[in-house]
Amino acid sequence: GKSNAEAAQALLDAARIQAGKGSWERIAIGRIQYLGGQKAQGQAIFDEILGGKHEASDEIRIARIYREAGEWARAKPMFDAYVAKNPKDKTEIAEIGAWYLLAGDRDSAERLFDKSFAIEDEIWATVAAAGAYLGVAPQP
């Protein structure tokens, strides 16, 4: 009998308890808030995570959310930082290349694809690149 907003809030409150201190779990909550009209609350979660000790995987997860929100200017520097910190992560480098291609920067995309493929031929990297050429977003 609750409105959608009230039901979502009750579920997010429960999810916060379930998440504990898990960063990926809290990022998932922040994603729902950020994309669901509670941008400030979602951003607060991201800022809390990024302001403390965190993993590079937290950064790429948050960058994906900014990209999903249509905020390429916010996502791009985080993706670039991820590549700089994780130069051997073939799958994510190809995924980031796909985001570049989908944003219209084919030259940068292909440099990232080359970098990924030089590390190792791997199906998930190849699929991310192929999909981007067809306008299909990678599946993280």
Side-chain angles (χ1 to χ4, degrees):
K2 294 182 178 193
S3 71
N4 286 352
E6 292 169 328
Q9 190 59 55
L11 291 166
L12 288 170
D13 291 343
R16 279 189 196 89
I17 294 167
Q18 294 168 331
K21 295 186 184 220
S23 63
W24 290 10
E25 294 85 350
R26 290 184 297 142
I27 290 169
I29 293 166
R31 176 182 173 273
I32 297 300
Q33 291 181 305
Y34 197 87
L35 298 174
Q38 299 175 357
K39 194 171 187 176
Q41 294 93 321
Q43 186 63 54
I45 291 171
F46 304 154
D47 291 344
E48 179 184 344
I49 291 167
L50 295 175
K53 184 174 166 69
H54 62 277
E55 301 292 327
S57 60
D58 296 330
E59 295 175 23
I60 195 170
R61 288 174 190 282
I62 293 169
R64 287 173 180 146
I65 295 164
Y66 292 147
R67 204 263 354 132
E68 188 176 2
E71 298 175 6
W72 178 246
R74 290 192 81 183
K76 182 183 176 299
M78 292 183 78
F79 285 141
D80 292 343
Y82 184 88
V83 171
K85 292 176 190 173
N86 300 279
K88 303 240 184 248
D89 195 337
K90 62 194 169 292
T91 305
E92 273 75 12
I93 291 171
E95 176 192 328
I96 292 166
W99 295 127
Y100 267 88
L101 186 57
L102 292 167
D105 185 348
R106 185 174 177 150
D107 290 340
S108 296
E110 290 182 344
R111 279 193 296 276
L112 289 166
F113 295 155
D114 288 345
K115 180 178 180 70
S116 171
F117 300 153
I119 298 166
E120 177 185 351
D121 281 342
E122 195 258 346
I123 187 170
W124 302 116
T126 305
V127 167
Y133 284 108
L134 295 176
V136 177
Q139 186 176 15

